[in-house]
Amino acid sequence: MKNLLYKELKLALQAPAVLFLALSAMLLIPNYPYYVTFFYTALGIFFCCQLGRENHDIFFTLCLPVRKRDVVSARFLLAVLLEAAQMLLAVPFAVLRQSFDVLGGNAVGMDANLAFFALSLPMLGLFHLVFFPAYYKNPQKVGLPFVKGSIAVFVYVLVAEACVHALPFFRDKLDTMHGAFLPEKLLVLLLGALLYLLLSFLAWRKSLRLFEKLDL
């Protein structure tokens, strides 16, 4: 597994996926749907899978003495590492955005605060659940799985942003600047992390089953 992950980082990881990490600076944009920042992380994962298809990455990898399940697991680990890097790089921009009191809150929806990161985690887990099983069902058709994953992400974004305007808990406690309502935000962060892990685990298990059945 260690060698496969090294292969993913050296050969599968594409330049756009790395460049998209700089888009964490989008959290500085006033009145913007900040969840879009993490959509670009999903787009970077898609690019890695797409170029892998063009380079016959899966075929050549399976010529090595490795298990199918390890091939899937290594790609999942690459996705998780990209998402973790995006989250970490976004934190200082979120802190800087919070210091711009003159700009006020985000009129579009959730402000760049702790609750925003908490609610972004299930969104990424949902992308895993939709994209990866569809991709590993037939790795030659990577475009349609990404379209399905993108639709799921944008539906999630619409619902999450609508909640800020429609639900008092989201509007009055989660969509607040600085350290207000910190216990509530920490609870949501814990729930978001658990949902991310659960959705990613389900996506991994389903991807394993589908890929192991695939006749290559």
Side-chain angles (χ1 to χ4, degrees), residues 50-200:
Q50 183 185 49
L51 190 66
R53 179 193 64 185
E54 304 306 321
N55 292 335
H56 306 287
D57 173 71
I58 288 178
F59 174 78
F60 287 112
T61 301
L62 290 176
C63 290
L64 302 172
V66 297
R67 299 178 300 174
K68 275 187 172 182
R69 64 186 296 111
D70 291 338
V71 173
V72 175
S73 298
R75 182 57 53 87
F76 263 82
L77 285 174
L78 176 65
V80 170
L81 287 175
L82 277 173
E83 291 159 358
Q86 189 86 72
M87 287 276 178
L88 290 174
L89 287 173
V91 169
F93 290 105
V95 173
L96 184 59
R97 175 66 181 82
Q98 292 283 306
S99 68
F100 295 163
D101 290 335
V102 66
L103 297 177
N106 183 6
V108 173
M110 185 62 67
D111 197 22
N113 57 20
L114 190 61
F116 160 71
F117 288 96
L119 295 171
S120 296
L121 287 169
M123 182 184 75
L124 293 171
L126 179 63
F127 176 77
H128 291 176
L129 187 62
V130 176
F131 172 74
F132 279 116
Y135 168 66
Y136 280 110
K137 185 177 181 179
N138 185 357
Q140 293 303 312
K141 296 182 179 180
V142 66
L144 184 58
F146 180 69
V147 170
K148 293 179 179 179
S150 299
I151 292 173
V153 165
F154 280 106
V155 169
Y156 181 96
V157 171
L158 287 174
V159 173
E161 297 290 48
C163 286
V164 173
H165 299 282
L167 300 180
F169 178 73
F170 279 75
R171 181 184 64 243
D172 301 332
K173 294 188 176 181
L174 297 186
D175 187 31
T176 53
M177 300 179 70
H178 305 296
F181 300 101
L182 185 58
E184 289 85 349
K185 291 176 182 176
L186 288 174
L187 177 60
V188 173
L189 179 61
L190 175 60
L191 293 175
L194 291 175
L195 273 174
Y196 173 80
L197 292 174
L198 176 61
L199 292 171
S200 298

Side-chain angles (χ1 to χ4, degrees), residues 28 48 143:
L28 298 178
C48 293

